[in-house]
Amino acid sequence: MLESWRWFGPSDPIPLNYVRQAGATGIVTALHEIPNGEEWPSAAISERRDLIQNAGLDWVVVESIPVHEDIKCGAPGWERYAHIWAENLSRLAQQGMRNICYNFMPVLDWTRTDLNYPMPDGALALRFEFAAYAAFDLFILKRESAAQDYTPNDLEMAERWLAQSNAAQRDRLTETIVAGLPGSEESYTLDTLRTRIAAYDGMNHAGLRAQLGAFLDIVLPVAEQEGARLSIHPDDPPRDLFGLPRVVSNKDDLAWIASYNTSPANGFTLCVGSLGVRADNDILEIIDSLGERIHFAHLRTVKREADPRDFHEDSHLAGDTDLVAVIRALLDLETRTGTQIPMRPDHGHRILYDLDRESTPGYPAIGRLRGLAELRGAAAVLAGRYVNGT
C-alpha cells in the first residue's frame, strides 16, 4: 500500500517536511480555501502540486472536491454545480491527480460531540455520544419535529444530559457540531443549520439515492474520459442524523452504488472507522465484494461503547475491527488487481507534545505518526518484508 498523509495546505500546522520525516510518500489534500461550488483555477492546482512535489512528496489523492448542498437536496439549478464539480475533476486529472475522494452526506460531514475524550493512558480522542447529540438536536438546535425521531428512552437520556451539563459544555457541543470538522468545508450558525436542514424537507433515502445517481450521471463520463477514479467516502457516523437520510452507510448502500454504474471509475474509499461504527458492517466481506472498486483506504478503528450508538476513536490496532486482517485483505486485493492502494492513518489520538500544541481536530502530528508506524509494521510483516529481523 502507498503510505500517505492528510495535509490541509499551507495553513496546516504540520509542514510537509514533517510529513516526509513520518515516512509517508503521498499527500492527500485539496484546495480547501476555495468555497464549495466554485471552480478550481488550473494555476492554483499546479501551484499546490508543485509545492508538494518540491517537498519530495506526491499528491496522490484529492480529498476532496466538496459536493455542493444544492446537488444533494436537488435544489433548482443543481446541475450547474455538478458541471463545475466535473470541470474541477477534469482540471485535476489533466495535471496528474486522478484519485478523487468525495462524500454525499447531507448538510454535515463527519460529526462528533467531543474532540477531547480522555483515554485511560491520558491521550485525548474523538467521541460521538448519542445522548449529547440528541440533546443538541432537541433542546439547542430545536429542530422542528425532532422529537418524532427519538424513542421515549432517547428523550429521557437527552433530557438527563442537558440537566447535567453546564453552559460551557453546551457551548462546546454546539461549536463542535456546527463549526464543521476538518474537511467538511462548511460551517453554520444555529439559524443557518436549521435553514439548510429544512431544504431537505420531504427527502427520503430513495430521493437522496436518486440525487446521487443523477450526480454520477454527470460526473462519471468525465472521470472515464480523463482516466480518473471516484472514491466515495462512507457516512460518518453511518446512520441518519438530524432527520436527514444517509445512503452510504452499509454494504447494501455500497452495493447499490456499485450496481448503479458498473464503471471501475465509480469506486469507494474504504474508511474502516466509519463503517466499523456499525457492528453489522463486515469490513472483510465489503473488501471481498467491492474488489477493484476500492481506490483509497482510511485505516483507523473505533470502539463501540455500552450504548452501541456511542463510540470513540481507539488506537489504530485496537478497537472493534481487526485492522491487521483488513490490511491483509487489502494486500491480497493489490496482488489480485496489480494496483497499489493509497492508505492513510486517520484520526490519531492527541499524545505527548500534541497535548500542548494546537492541531487540526483529529489530525495531530504524533498521534498519526504512531498510527502510520503501526500500520507500516503490520503491512511489512504481512507482506513478508520482515523475516528473521531483516
Side-chain angles (χ1 to χ4, degrees):
M1 289 182 287
L2 195 160
E3 296 175 19
S4 61
W5 185 277
R6 191 167 198 187
W7 182 65
F8 291 95
S11 63
D12 195 315
I14 302 169
L16 290 171
N17 63 312
Y18 283 19
V19 177
R20 282 198 68 184
Q21 292 168 26
T25 59
I27 289 294
V28 176
T29 193
L31 300 187
H32 295 286
E33 67 276 14
I34 297 180
N36 291 5
E38 294 189 8
E39 292 187 5
W40 291 13
S42 296
I45 295 170
S46 60
E47 181 181 356
R48 190 61 50 86
R49 180 201 59 199
D50 292 347
L51 179 65
I52 293 167
Q53 290 181 344
N54 290 338
L57 299 159
D58 292 311
W59 188 356
V60 295
V61 178
V62 180
E63 187 177 355
S64 56
I65 309 175
V67 178
H68 196 278
E69 284 299 314
D70 282 4
I71 297 173
K72 289 179 275 190
C73 71
W78 67 266
E79 294 89 349
R80 178 174 73 90
Y81 290 112
H83 287 293
I84 291 173
W85 200 98
E87 176 61 24
N88 289 336
L89 158 67
S90 179
R91 293 177 184 180
L92 287 159
Q94 289 170 17
Q95 298 198 48
M97 283 68 72
R98 295 186 174 88
N99 194 338
I100 314 295
C101 176
Y102 71 103
N103 78 71
F104 216 76
M105 290 179 256
V107 182
L108 292 172
D109 201 313
W110 64 291
T111 303
R112 298 291 183 271
T113 59
D114 190 349
L115 304 181
N116 293 291
Y117 177 66
M119 299 292 289
D121 63 359
L124 298 179
L126 304 175
R127 183 178 186 234
F128 182 92
E129 181 186 6
F130 183 81
Y133 151 75
F136 172 82
D137 189 21
L138 290 159
F139 308 121
I140 299 175
L141 181 63
K142 298 179 181 178
R143 177 172 60 88
E144 186 176 353
S145 304
Q148 67 186 23
D149 293 334
Y150 298 95
T151 67
N153 186 58
D154 293 338
L155 293 170
E156 182 180 337
M157 290 171 54
E159 290 169 348
R160 187 163 56 247
W161 188 96
L162 189 73
Q164 294 173 350
S165 67
N166 57 40
Q169 290 171 319
R170 293 190 293 273
D171 288 346
R172 189 161 53 246
L173 173 65
T174 299
E175 181 179 0
T176 298
I177 293 177
V178 305
L181 292 173
S184 64
E185 316 296 350
E186 294 279 7
S187 61
Y188 300 96
T189 64
L190 290 175
D191 285 339
T192 58
L193 180 57
R194 293 185 194 102
T195 299
R196 180 51 75 179
I197 290 173
Y200 286 82
D201 282 352
M203 176 75 76
N204 58 18
H205 292 86
L208 189 60
R209 274 188 173 181
Q211 278 304 121
L212 174 56
F215 168 71
L216 290 174
D217 288 342
I218 291 174
V219 302
L220 272 174
V222 178
E224 292 174 322
Q225 178 181 328
E226 299 290 356
R229 296 169 295 174
L230 306 186
S231 306
I232 194 168
H233 187 287
D235 304 322
D236 186 6
R239 62 174 75 100
D240 297 353
L241 293 181
F242 300 108
L244 301 172
R246 290 190 161 196
V247 294
V248 196
S249 293
N250 55 42
K251 182 185 175 184
D252 289 342
D253 290 337
L254 302 180
W256 182 89
I257 295 167
S259 64
Y260 181 82
N261 188 309
T262 59
S263 168
N266 182 27
F268 301 93
T269 295
L270 181 78
C271 184
V272 178
S274 297
L275 293 168
V277 167
R278 293 178 54 147
D280 60 339
N281 277 334
D282 186 329
I283 308 297
L284 297 180
E285 184 181 359
I286 288 172
I287 295 172
D288 184 63
S289 64
L290 294 180
E292 64 181 23
R293 301 289 193 95
I294 296 174
H295 302 318
F296 183 31
H298 292 177
L299 299 184
R300 63 180 174 91
T301 59
V302 299
K303 182 67 177 178
R304 295 183 292 273
E305 301 177 15
D307 183 331
R309 297 171 297 184
D310 297 344
F311 63 90
H312 61 267
E313 311 273 357
D314 214 334
S315 299
H316 280 74
L317 297 184
D320 290 316
T321 301
D322 184 348
L323 205 51
V324 173
V326 169
I327 294 170
R328 179 186 293 113
L330 290 174
L331 290 172
D332 290 344
L333 176 61
E334 288 184 325
T335 299
R336 292 199 311 272
T337 60
T339 60
Q340 189 176 34
I341 299 171
M343 70 83 170
R344 66 172 177 85
D346 202 10
H347 298 185
H349 289 171
R350 290 178 63 199
I351 59 174
L352 304 176
Y353 296 111
D354 287 334
L355 295 168
D356 303 320
R357 299 175 181 174
E358 291 296 321
S359 60
T360 306
Y363 295 93
I366 301 172
R368 283 190 291 163
L369 172 67
R370 174 187 172 182
L372 182 60
E374 292 175 342
L375 300 174
R376 178 187 300 127
V381 170
L382 292 169
R385 296 196 301 269
Y386 187 87
V387 181
N388 296 328
T390 61

